[in-house]
Amino acid sequence: MHIHYISEQNSILNHFLTQIRDVTIQKDSMRFRKNIERIGEIMAYELSKTLDYKNIDVQTPLGIKHTTTIAEPVVLCSILRAGLALHTGFMNFFDDAENGFVSAYRHHYDNDDKFEILVEYQAAPSFEGKNLILIDPMLATGQSLVAVLHKLHLEQKPKEIHIAVVIAAPEGIAFLEQNLPENCHLWVAALDEKLNEKNYIIPGLGDAGDLAYGSKL
């Protein structure tokens, strides 16, 4: 798996990452969503540099311009509900992309720390021969991403698979490396220290879905 860490060099990305972690700024859910969206835009731009392009001629009012465009279509697919704001950021840049949505959540047995990943809802276009970008803000254990990709990837073969996450734990990255094809690309805005005993990212930022859209039952 090819891993791209995009916050190693200081940029405005680090500013937005700082704000989404700050417990005082987090109280403003609209600002939290907007900052996640902005991070998605930055990640989309960086990811776009690695795609294949083809030559085209464009008619302008004054002549013909020889230029390039993305060679294969892009499909954006996010994991509900936490991925929606990040998805919007990617959609702002890949504005002609097709879009898919999948639900995945931790189902805990007897309210203890053990869980399984349930993938129950899927609405996605064909991604045969296309660039599939799977979007989820938090990479903790990695089990949700693997479960979703296995569900999506049963019959159709995308040209490339890109996974975009805002914050990742080393344990989750290791799990993806063990369970996903070598030709996958993982895009990470920030690498954190570890998972705690409940498999939450430390220092992390909390529950991205709750911060963006409110607490759930």
Side-chain angles (χ1 to χ4, degrees):
M1 185 171 64
H2 308 281
I3 305 176
H4 310 265
Y5 298 105
I6 64 173
S7 64
E8 293 180 329
Q9 182 178 359
N10 282 327
S11 73
I12 193 66
L13 172 63
N14 300 71
H15 177 74
F16 297 140
L17 287 167
T18 298
Q19 290 195 354
I20 64 172
R21 295 182 191 268
D22 190 313
V23 293
T24 58
I25 298 175
Q26 284 181 349
K27 296 175 183 178
D28 185 342
S29 60
M30 185 171 69
R31 187 174 180 183
F32 181 85
R33 291 194 302 271
K34 188 62 179 180
N35 281 332
I36 292 287
E37 180 182 338
R38 289 165 169 164
I39 291 169
E41 291 175 340
I42 295 169
M43 297 185 77
Y45 173 72
E46 294 297 331
L47 188 156
S48 73
K49 298 176 183 178
T50 68
L51 300 179
D52 290 332
Y53 287 76
K54 62 183 179 181
N55 297 318
I56 62 169
D57 293 334
V58 174
Q59 178 70 58
T60 79
L62 299 176
I64 300 294
K65 173 60 181 177
H66 306 293
T67 184
T68 61
T69 189
I70 296 173
E72 287 83 22
V74 171
V75 177
L76 305 175
C77 188
S78 65
I79 298 179
L80 299 174
R81 67 180 166 157
L84 290 176
L86 191 62
H87 187 112
T88 300
F90 272 83
M91 195 164 50
N92 290 344
F93 274 37
F94 295 109
D95 54 354
D96 58 351
E98 298 175 282
N99 295 271
F101 303 91
V102 181
S103 73
Y105 65 94
R106 297 180 180 184
H107 173 65
H108 291 267
Y109 304 97
D110 301 321
N111 293 319
D112 60 16
D113 293 337
K114 296 179 180 179
F115 64 88
E116 65 175 336
I117 301 298
L118 297 184
V119 181
E120 296 184 339
Y121 173 82
Q122 172 185 339
S126 169
F127 45 83
E128 183 72 36
K130 303 175 184 177
N131 297 297
L132 174 62
I133 303 177
L134 185 59
I135 299 164
D136 193 16
M138 308 297 283
L139 171 56
T141 67
Q143 294 181 46
S144 295
L145 284 165
V146 169
V148 166
L149 274 176
H150 284 170
K151 184 173 181 64
L152 292 174
H153 201 217
L154 291 177
E155 298 179 358
Q156 302 177 64
K157 303 299 180 185
K159 179 180 184 292
E160 289 186 343
I161 298 174
H162 296 266
I163 299 170
V165 302
V166 176
I167 297 176
E171 296 92 332
I173 293 176
F175 187 79
L176 295 189
E177 288 180 311
Q178 295 170 3
N179 290 277
L180 295 182
E182 292 184 0
N183 62 348
C184 284
H185 292 262
L186 174 64
W187 296 83
V188 179
L191 176 63
D192 275 13
E193 297 173 11
K194 61 181 180 180
L195 296 179
N196 66 10
E197 65 280 359
K198 294 183 179 295
N199 289 311
Y200 292 120
I201 301 174
I202 301 298
L205 53 74
D207 189 303
D210 285 359
L211 290 167
Y213 301 108
S215 301
K216 55 186 176 294
L217 294 176

